[in-house]
């Protein structure tokens, strides 16, 4: 039972809980022991006062029960006080046990009072009223509140019932009794709360006092302060033992004029103008006070720092009599401040400049950019997230440190390298020569791509770099960073591991993307998107067996915009799920009106966060249109599976269990890993149109007559995919079939399904509905299911 349950109305700090609970349990044991002794005495009084009354089982049982409770309370309290090493857990158990005994005791008292009040005479009623008052008042002095309320609650109910049963109470007595009951309850709550607050404050004060005492003792033991004094001739007088220790010289070597005696002649002679030593010498010459002058001192070839404070001594006539002051060795503080200052302006992991220092230097460079140009390089590590996730953050940090070391080796002493956060770095190259900046960038890429070795393991990462040159690409930090970021974005888009220099076309490209994003979002709101359907046919019968849903965008001003232009924008700006939901709903509504043997295929692009939510959404849409799950086929691409991982795998498995079919789109263009073919519940592989395009090419090449090298390679890939699908009990659909010769070749290879312009172009819902309505139903064979499912 948690201690906080006892401390009603008070939030018990975690660091004080055990201390407070143990103190509370000890105090409670003393108080409850005294209450138990008094309770046994009261039980005895009732027993002897009612000794001559008729014998009643209820009265005797209540007396015996209350007596047993008091004895048990005494026993538990004594056992707790004799415990040698109590813990918070044992205190929790002890308080809980005592609360149960007190609740039982309250019940016995209630029963006893209720029984004896009916047989009590006038004099005995006086005793009972006194006992009732005591029973109600006793828990006020009990702490913790849980024990107090455990006794107060049944006693309050019993006393009230006793007054009602006594037949001597009027309405005014009952009101007064209830008011007293409420008062005792409030006092229990209030006094416990205030007691605990004061106990917490006392413990805090005791801890603070102990900390202050320890700090003062530590200061007395380690303080390096010393007193110093000179005569009117500025000769050092009465060299203290502490000064001898700090200066690491004997007292005889510290005689002579101040400050040469402690600083040395060389320190004064070599002091540059405006330095603290120069200010000290000027103050002494002017006989003026000085305070907290930090003076560098060489002691045994170690640079240390002293803080000196001095005040001139003047007699009653104003004549100068020397100086007296205090000195202290602040070397530790100075180095700590320097370290803190370094940490505030440098990355704690790589020791490169951090964002704050980099921003300061960038501002300074921009102010002088008109006179001396410079280049800003923005760097982003490639594949770093994979290393961090697979090998752990410790290895990731080691890689970052090693990358920082290589960056230092690639730049000059006056260039600035910084870590902006994560795996993002930036470099200020102090040159107006663009070729020189690009050469440094190329050198960085070459060095970073060299393998790293950690714990006998070789790791390799790349880096993408974007370059902006000042002042051409921006004359202020914001504009320059934007230009470098755009160049970096272009480098990552063009394949990573390369350098790109900013040009205005990059900005135009980003603006065009943003404009497309805004227009696409408006198109969703205005319902400008529509769905077209391209039939999928059986190569053997030539009849339609399914259709793929394809999104179309008819822009009000630009006309029809191809999916290849707006789908990447939707994926980049997070609109693809909303578009996918729109296509899914439109496709399910359409297929519900088609013949029962026709299914529909919808492309799926789930995000990690929305994958599991997508399952219920799809099931809701199927239920809304009363559509059997096997009439819906979801197409996913390899990159989606590899990027989002486990959430998508769970979602696909759940959908497959409900009967929805899963197809792997564009198979062969990505990683084509057999591991995820085994894990995922695919029922179909779709051969990408790029493999079909050169089938039947009339230009001869090596191999069979009329077969080109490209066609031969494509044929091998297609045959491999078909063989793989057959072995894994999957169907195969070839995309992009445009000629009869391509269809015949695919049929001869064993491909059973195809789609392309040879058969049908994409069409709207009305046209495909009419086409399906007029077509005779084919002989349908159920599609193969995944072997593992």
């Amino acid at each position: 039972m948690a201690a906080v349950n006892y401390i009603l109305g008070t939030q018990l700090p975690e660091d004080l809980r055990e201390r407070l609970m143990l103190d509370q349990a000890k105090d409670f044991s003393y108080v409850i022991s005294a209450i138990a002794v008094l309770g046994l005495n009261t039980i005895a009084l009732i027993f002897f006062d009612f000794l001559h009354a008729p014998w009643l089982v209820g009265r005797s049982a209540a007396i015996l029960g209350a007596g047993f409770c008091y004895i048990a309370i005494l026993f538990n309290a004594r056992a707790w006080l004799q415990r040698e090493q109590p813990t918070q857990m044992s205190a929790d158990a002890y308080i809980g046990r005592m609360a149960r005994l007190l609740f039982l005791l309250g019940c016995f008292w209630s029963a006893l009072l209720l029984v004896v009040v009916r047989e009590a005479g006038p004099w005995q009623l006086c005793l009972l009223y006194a006992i009732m008052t005591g029973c109600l008042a006793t828990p006020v002095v009990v702490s913790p509140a849980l024990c107090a309320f455990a006794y107060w609650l049944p006693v309050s109910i019993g006393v009230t019932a006793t007054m009602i049963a006594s037949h001597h109470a009027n309405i005014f007595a009952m009101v007064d009794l209830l008011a007293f009951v409420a008062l005792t309850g409030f006092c229990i709550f209030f006094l416990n709360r205030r007691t605990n607050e004061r106990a917490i404050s006392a413990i805090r004060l005791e801890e603070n006092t102990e900390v202050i005492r320890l700090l003062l003792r530590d200061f007395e033991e380690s303080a390096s302060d010393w007193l110093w004094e000179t005569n009117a001739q500025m000769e050092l007088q009465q060299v203290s033992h502490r000064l001898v220790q700090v200066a690491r010289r004997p007292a005889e070597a510290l005689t002579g004029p101040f400050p040469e005696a402690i600083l040395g002649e060389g320190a004064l002679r070599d002091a540059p103008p405006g330095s603290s030593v120069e200010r000290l010498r000027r103050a002494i010459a002017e006989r003026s006070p000085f305070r907290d002058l930090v003076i560098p001192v060489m002691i045994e070839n170690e640079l240390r720092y002293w803080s000196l404070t001095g005040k001139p001594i003047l007699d009653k006539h104003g004549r100068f009599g020397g100086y007296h002051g205090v000195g202290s060795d602040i070397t530790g503080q100075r180095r700590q401040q320097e370290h803190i200052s370094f940490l505030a302006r440098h990355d704690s992991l790589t020791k490169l400049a951090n964002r704050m220092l980099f921003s300061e230097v960038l501002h300074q460079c921009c102010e002088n950019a008109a006179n001396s140009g410079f280049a800003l390089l923005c760097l982003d590590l490639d594949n770093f997230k994979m290393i961090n996730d697979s090998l752990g953050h410790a290895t990731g940090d080691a890689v970052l440190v090693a990358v920082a070391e290589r960056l230092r080796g690639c730049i000059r002493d006056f260039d600035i390298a910084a870590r902006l956060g994560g795996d993002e770095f930036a470099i200020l190259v102090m040159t107006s020569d663009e070729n020189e900046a690009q050469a440094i960038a190329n050198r960085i890429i070459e060095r970073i791509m060299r393998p790293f070795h950690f714990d006998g393991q070789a790791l390799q990462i790349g880096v993408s770099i974007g370059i902006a040159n000042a002042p051409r690409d921006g004359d202020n930090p914001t504009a320059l960073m934007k230009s470098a970021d755009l160049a970096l974005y272009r480098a990552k888009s063009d394949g990573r591991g390369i350098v790109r220099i900013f040009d205005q076309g990059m900005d135009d490209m980003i603006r065009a993307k943003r404009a497309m994003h805004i227009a696409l979002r408006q198109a969703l709101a205005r319902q400008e998107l529509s769905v077209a359907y391209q039939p999928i046919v059986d190569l053997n019968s030539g009849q339609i067996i399914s259709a793929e849903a394809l999104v179309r965008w008819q822009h009000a001003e630009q006309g029809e915009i191809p999916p290849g232009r707006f789908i990447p924008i939707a994926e980049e700006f997070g609109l693809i799920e909303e578009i996918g939901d729109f296509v899914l709903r439109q496709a399910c509504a359409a297929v519900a009106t088609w013949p029962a043997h026709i299914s529909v295929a919808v492309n799926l692009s789930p995000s990690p966060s929305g994958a599991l939510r997508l399952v219920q959404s799809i099931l809701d849409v199927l239920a809304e249109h009363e559509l059997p799950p096997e009439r819906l086929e979801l197409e996913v691409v390899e990159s989606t599976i590899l990027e989002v991982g486990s959430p998508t795998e769970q979602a696909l498995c759940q959908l497959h269990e409900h009967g929805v079919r899963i197809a792997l789109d564009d198979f062969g263009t990505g990683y084509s890993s057999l591991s995820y073919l085994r894990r995922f519940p695919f029922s179909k592989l779709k051969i990408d149109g790029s493999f079909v395009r050169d089938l039947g090419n009339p230009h001869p090449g090596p191999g069979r007559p009329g077969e080109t090298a490209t066609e031969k390679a494509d044929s091998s890939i297609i045959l491999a995919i078909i063989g793989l699908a057959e072995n894994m009990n999957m169907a195969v659909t070839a995309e992009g079939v445009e000629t009869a010769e391509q269809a015949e070749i695919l049929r001869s290879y064993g491909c059973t399904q195809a789609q392309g312009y040879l058969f049908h172009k994409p069409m709207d819902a009305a046209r495909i509905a009419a086409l399906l309505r007029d077509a005779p139903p084919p002989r349908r064979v159920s599609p193969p299911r995944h072997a593992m499912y």
Side-chain angles (χ1 to χ4, degrees), residues 415-430:
D415 296 329
I416 303 294
R419 181 188 176 206
L420 304 183
D423 60 340
E424 300 178 12
F425 296 84
I427 299 176
L428 291 176
V429 179
M430 305 305 174

Side-chain angles (χ1 to χ4, degrees), residues 40-118:
L40 287 172
N41 178 65
T42 306
I43 290 293
L45 290 176
I46 292 180
F47 175 77
F48 288 110
D49 198 13
F50 287 85
L51 186 63
H52 302 292
W55 183 84
L56 293 176
V57 175
R59 182 181 66 204
S60 301
I63 290 175
L64 290 175
F68 169 77
C69 289
Y70 279 126
I71 293 172
I73 288 171
L74 277 172
F75 174 79
N76 278 276
R78 179 178 178 81
W80 177 259
L81 292 173
Q82 291 178 345
R83 185 183 290 264
E84 294 183 358
Q85 292 182 337
T87 63
Q88 180 184 339
M89 184 178 298
S90 61
D92 286 343
Y94 170 64
I95 296 299
R97 187 165 57 252
M98 294 296 272
R100 290 189 289 272
L101 284 172
L102 287 170
F103 179 79
L104 189 61
L105 176 64
C107 294
F108 280 126
W109 265 118
S110 299
L112 180 60
L113 292 173
L114 194 60
V115 170
V116 300
V117 75
R118 295 180 178 275

